[in-house]
Amino acid sequence: MASRARVRAPELIGKGGWLNTGNKDLTLSDLRGRIVVLDFWTFCCVNCLHVLDELRELEERHRDTVVIIGVHSPKFVHEAEHQAVVDAVERYGVEHPVLDDPELATWKQYAVRAWPTLVVIDPEGYVVAQHAGEGHAHAIEKLVEELEAEHGAKGTLCRGDGPYVPPEPVATDLRFPGKAVRLPAGSFLVSDTTRHQLVELAADGERVLRRIGTGERGLTPDSFNEPQGLALLPDGRVAVADTVNHAIRVFDPASGALETVAGTGKQWWQGSPVSGPARAVDLSSPWDLAWWRDRLWIAMAGVHQLWTWDPAAGTVEAAAGTTNEGLVDGPAAEAWFAQPSGLAAAGDRLWIADSETSAVRWVEPSAAGDGYVIRTAVGTGLFDFGHRDGAADQALLQHPLGVTALPDGSVAIADTYNHALRRFDPATGEVTTLATDLREPSAAVLVDDDIVVVESARHRLTRLRLPEEAVRVESLAHRTQRAATEVAPGALRLEVVFQAPAGQKLDTRYGPSTRLLVSATPPELLADGAGAGTDLARELVLADGVTEGVLHVSAMAASCDDAPDIEYPACHVHQQDWGVPVEIAEGGVARLGLVLAGMDAG
């Protein structure tokens, strides 16, 4: 067995304390003898949610030897609230202990740079691997099997029940509902996300008329997996974004029939088709839907794009976005999004809640009539957020998940992490606050002169009268609390560390198996080194006169089984996007190492 670097794992500390342990505080000594996988996550991050699902099978198969510990490391201010973490653990079905680390103490001890990051600790308490991004479950499983054999032989492996203690279930009609749509008869159809169902409520928004779905995760004619977005189709049926099934379903309220119209049930990865027969193309965490310009538009949160489904042709295709995460306007094919999570059609505009950039944006036909363009109404980028009204170019939101077109041409915003309903008026260019004291509003439906808000963390629909005057609120501006990396001026060596899992090698059958894309905010930060390439190392040159910014790094590597006797080797894609805040300082580092998989020896 190959030797591994042995680095003693730092202790697990977090001011918020422990969840899912029956009120017991855990230490690494409590876990000695077990293989520990630390999952550094934050609940706003769709990639983190993907990893939660990737780990479920590993967690089940190796339950007697492996303990997964979620280390919740917040990006947004709201995510540092303990109750918000409690809610998220239930919302996403996290069935392992979670350490609430609002001050990023453990994040810093483990030198983590990105969400999600997985760290493997052996039964003797040493760090043996680190993986950033998605697609690593197979590699971790191989490592777990090696560690089971190695430490079983040494007598240092302990088997048995883990420290997970499930919370007590709570009885409510809805549990973390996601989106809602009003049916023609006046009732509401709501995606009851955590219970994997749709629920039809009477016109009062309270009385349950029926439930659709078994309540168990699945992709069957009577099951869902964390459904979110809903859209009424012209024929009276309802399209459903079946998020964790990576599928679009259609529900017929009249007959009760449910069918899958797009997606294979598998998650889209780089290199997969971006158009074709709808049932043959993979999707990635569709979050919301809207019928616009004879198509169903899909907020494909998992890959930072907009897609469309054409029911007449039976096809899907990527309509906007490059899959790179950020905020870039322009022609649809060149735009960048960051987890688009809400859509609303209004005439020649399709409004978008672009959650990770705390932005509201829109799509409109290009002036030349040869496609679409993307524009931004509110928001500046991945790291600036808050609650500030006023001129749109100065206003701030915090991770909005929903948008609703209003009759006067303005748009209501479910400003989720500010617990508020906001409004942007294109006529005046102003952002105002319509209501506060909502709890994680995720969507809203217009009903005559009222607006019905999905209060996700209060598990209910809340009806509000659309106010004539805005609510005055104290202005708050925030930046992510991640510390900036001090880098030396001039040349900066960027190295993405990738070590193929045991028994695998880089897949070079069809050309280079790695990809690296580098950009910066502001773009002027980089004098040289921006752009795409196939080498995972690159020399960057930082421009004179720019003192701080963010380096955006996107890396991908594909590995396949190495055994020559395997006719059809299994292949896996590993990918991650980093946004690294940097400050230029004399004495700063001249090398920036980012771990995609393995250990950084630099």
Side-chain angles (χ1 to χ4, degrees), residues 61-352:
R61 281 198 295 266
H62 299 271
R63 188 169 293 278
D64 65 334
T65 59
V66 172
V67 176
I68 295 176
I69 302 288
V71 182
H72 189 269
S73 313
K75 170 185 173 180
F76 290 99
V77 170
H78 169 60
E79 292 175 303
E81 297 177 15
H82 182 69
Q83 184 58 48
V85 181
V86 173
D87 289 344
V89 167
E90 180 187 351
R91 182 195 302 265
Y92 297 115
V94 180
E95 295 183 352
H96 51 247
V98 173
L99 174 64
D100 181 11
D101 183 18
E103 297 177 345
L104 302 183
T106 296
W107 166 288
K108 294 169 186 174
Q109 287 293 311
Y110 282 82
V112 174
R113 291 184 181 274
W115 297 277
T117 291
L118 299 171
V119 175
V120 182
I121 302 172
D122 73 13
E124 294 180 289
Y126 290 92
V127 174
V128 292
Q130 181 172 326
H131 303 265
E134 302 178 51
H136 300 295
H138 73 287
I140 291 176
E141 177 133 28
K142 285 181 176 293
L143 177 56
V144 163
E145 291 170 353
E146 289 184 9
L147 292 171
E148 286 175 339
E150 175 185 345
H151 289 273
K154 290 172 63 177
T156 51
L157 180 71
C158 297
R159 295 178 180 270
D161 294 334
Y164 169 65
V165 178
E168 289 293 324
V170 181
T172 53
D173 288 335
L174 300 174
R175 204 69 192 162
F176 298 105
K179 306 288 185 181
V181 67
R182 194 182 188 206
L183 298 177
S187 60
F188 295 94
L189 193 65
V190 184
S191 54
D192 198 18
T193 304
T194 298
R195 293 205 177 114
H196 317 295
Q197 291 180 317
L198 306 182
V199 176
E200 185 177 358
L201 299 177
D204 62 8
E206 297 182 6
R207 183 165 53 91
V208 175
L209 300 179
R210 58 173 162 170
R211 296 182 178 275
I212 300 97
T214 63
E216 300 293 329
R217 295 178 187 269
L219 183 58
T220 70
D222 58 356
S223 63
F224 299 94
N225 196 345
E226 297 185 23
Q228 284 282 348
L230 304 168
L232 195 62
L233 299 176
D235 62 6
R237 297 186 299 165
V238 178
V240 183
D242 198 359
T243 304
V244 179
N245 274 330
H246 309 296
I248 304 300
R249 321 289 292 280
V250 169
F251 170 66
D252 187 343
S255 68
L258 177 68
E259 66 172 314
T260 302
V261 298
T264 63
K266 298 179 180 178
Q267 184 183 339
W268 187 95
W269 290 96
Q270 290 288 351
S272 300
V274 294
S275 64
R279 289 298 310 276
V281 176
D282 297 338
L283 308 180
S284 182
S285 295
W287 208 274
D288 202 14
L289 308 169
W291 184 261
W292 186 61
R293 298 178 68 85
D294 299 321
R295 300 285 190 279
L296 184 74
W297 287 69
I298 305 166
M300 202 72 75
V303 286
H304 316 300
Q305 288 182 308
L306 303 181
W307 286 44
T308 60
W309 170 57
D310 180 352
T315 56
V316 293
E317 64 177 338
T322 63
T323 75
N324 296 313
E325 185 178 16
L327 194 156
V328 176
D329 287 343
E334 301 171 15
W336 290 24
F337 297 96
Q339 240 170 273
S341 301
L343 298 176
D348 287 336
R349 288 187 178 183
L350 178 68
W351 293 101
I352 309 159

